[in-house]
Amino acid sequence: MGKTSKDKRDIYYRQAKEEGWRARSAFKLLHVDEAYGILDGVQRAVDLCAAPGSWSQVLSRKLYDPCQTDDEKAAVKIIAVDLQAMAPIRGVIQLQGDITKQSTAEAIIGHFGGNNEEKAQLVVCDGAPDVTGVHEMDEYMQHQLLVAALSIATCVLETGGTFVAKIFKGNATWLLSSQMQIFFKKFDIYKPPSSRPSSIEAFVVCSEFCLPAGYIPQVINTARDDIRVLAQKTGSDVNRRLVPFIACGDLGGLSDSSGDRAEASEDSNADVQYAYDAVMSDAFYPVEFKEIIKEVYDEQLQLS
């Protein structure tokens, strides 16, 4: 009852109802666009974790509706991905799929034409897990979702593309920031005015996408996959160095009175140290990435 009353007093809730948006979250993407111009010149976009569809509505109204001719409309390709089906939206192709599976990335690229020359110019994700009220757990689950969205974005984004996704700000924010800066030349964290002040959510705005030389894009699910085996399957030395670092933001560093957890913590720390040493001793690894990784690593040492 209290939550409903609060929502109805909210200016963006009322405005969303008046303008026909499916959720007030539409204004979050609109505000990101106002601040960063992420929709300028975009014709191919992907909305991950799209249901109920408010961000897809923004993409439709901003990219598809202004088109005057059939050829212009045909050039605009918007793909909404979610496990749930949604009511249709003008100019939006719906794809029911799991963003932690390679087949979903392949299906997205197939809708763009099935070749590497035509990929997404923009990938957005407003997905969030069911909130438990336990901040540390909610933050962890959100970060795992963000890693999944980032990994599929590396598969479907064209060079120079943009990635926008929700993040719960917390102790691991800077670790995730460093991971994204491996793939994007520009990175920022932005809290739009439509995001409630009491909320811990913000949005990463990453632009100028560029894969590290030799890196082979792959979809990562840290809860399901053996990360090192996954990296080795690519045959890329760069993946073997990067992927363990990208996926190391897990709960393995936590320990309790249980012997099993203590042992897992030691193993996890050893893996992180191994990945860090391998990167820092690699003469071919970009210096700017080494500096980012060292800064994050030093911060973690101070906290531990």
Side-chain angles (χ1 to χ4, degrees), residues 9-51:
R9 291 195 302 269
D10 183 273
I11 183 174
Y12 294 108
Y13 175 88
R14 297 196 302 269
Q15 192 172 345
K17 291 294 185 182
E18 293 169 1
E19 297 180 8
W21 300 109
R22 296 185 180 181
R24 68 184 300 282
S25 57
F27 294 103
K28 298 174 186 178
L29 185 58
L30 289 170
H31 287 154
V32 172
D33 182 46
E34 289 175 7
Y36 295 92
I38 61 170
L39 300 180
D40 295 346
V42 171
Q43 290 185 311
R44 299 182 300 279
V46 178
D47 182 11
L48 302 175
C49 304

Side-chain angles (χ1 to χ4, degrees), residues 26 69 103 165 167 184 189 203 205 221 223 226 232 258 262 266 298:
T69 67
S103 58
I167 185 172
F184 297 91
I189 295 179
F203 294 88
V205 183
N221 182 339
D226 185 323
Q232 290 171 357
S258 121
E266 292 174 3
D298 289 344

Side-chain angles (χ1 to χ4, degrees), residues 31-266:
H31 287 154
V32 172
D33 182 46
E34 289 175 7
Y36 295 92
I38 61 170
L39 300 180
D40 295 346
V42 171
Q43 290 185 311
R44 299 182 300 279
V46 178
D47 182 11
L48 302 175
C49 304
S54 60
W55 278 28
S56 293
Q57 280 184 298
V58 172
L59 297 176
S60 173
R61 295 188 190 185
K62 290 289 187 177
L63 306 182
Y64 183 81
D65 288 355
C67 295
Q68 301 296 319
T69 67
D70 290 341
D71 288 342
E72 289 177 346
K73 290 181 178 180
V76 174
K77 296 179 180 178
I78 304 168
I79 300 174
V81 184
D82 202 288
L83 290 172
Q84 304 177 39
M86 303 187 305
I89 300 173
R90 289 188 306 276
V92 176
I93 299 170
Q94 291 192 37
L95 177 63
Q96 283 187 260
D98 185 344
I99 67 169
T100 67
K101 293 186 177 179
Q102 186 71 35
S103 58
T104 302
E106 294 169 356
I108 292 171
I109 295 173
H111 281 297
F112 285 138
N115 59 69
N116 290 328
E117 296 179 0
E118 195 171 80
K119 289 186 175 182
Q121 297 164 301
L122 172 68
V123 173
V124 298
C125 179
D126 190 34
D130 292 332
V131 177
T132 65
V134 180
H135 176 70
E136 291 79 6
M137 180 58 70
D138 293 337
E139 179 190 340
Y140 169 73
M141 295 302 296
Q142 175 62 30
H143 288 173
Q144 297 309 301
L145 181 60
L146 181 53
V147 169
L150 172 64
S151 67
I152 199 169
T154 64
C155 296
V156 305
L157 266 178
E158 68 177 19
T159 300
T162 301
F163 175 65
V164 176
K166 179 180 291 185
I167 185 172
F168 286 174
K169 297 177 72 174
N171 293 333
T173 298
W174 291 111
L175 174 61
L176 287 168
S177 301
S178 67
Q179 293 169 353
M180 289 177 219
Q181 289 178 67
I182 291 174
F183 298 102
F184 297 91
K185 294 181 180 179
K186 293 183 179 179
F187 169 85
D188 201 4
I189 295 179
Y190 174 68
K191 188 173 180 67
S194 47
S195 178
R196 293 188 177 93
S198 59
S199 173
I200 61 172
E201 74 169 8
F203 294 88
V204 295
V205 183
C206 312
S207 57
E208 297 188 25
F209 172 68
C210 183
L211 283 175
Y215 180 82
I216 299 175
Q218 54 186 152
V219 176
I220 299 170
N221 182 339
T222 56
R224 177 191 65 209
D225 300 322
D226 185 323
I227 304 302
R228 295 192 180 280
V229 171
L230 190 68
Q232 290 171 357
K233 286 182 178 179
T234 64
S236 167
D237 290 336
V238 178
N239 283 62
R240 284 195 287 270
R241 293 192 296 267
L242 277 180
V243 169
F245 171 72
I246 291 169
C248 72
D250 56 29
L251 293 178
L254 300 178
S255 60
D256 56 19
S257 58
S258 121
D260 292 339
R261 287 295 299 278
E263 182 179 353
S265 177
E266 292 174 3

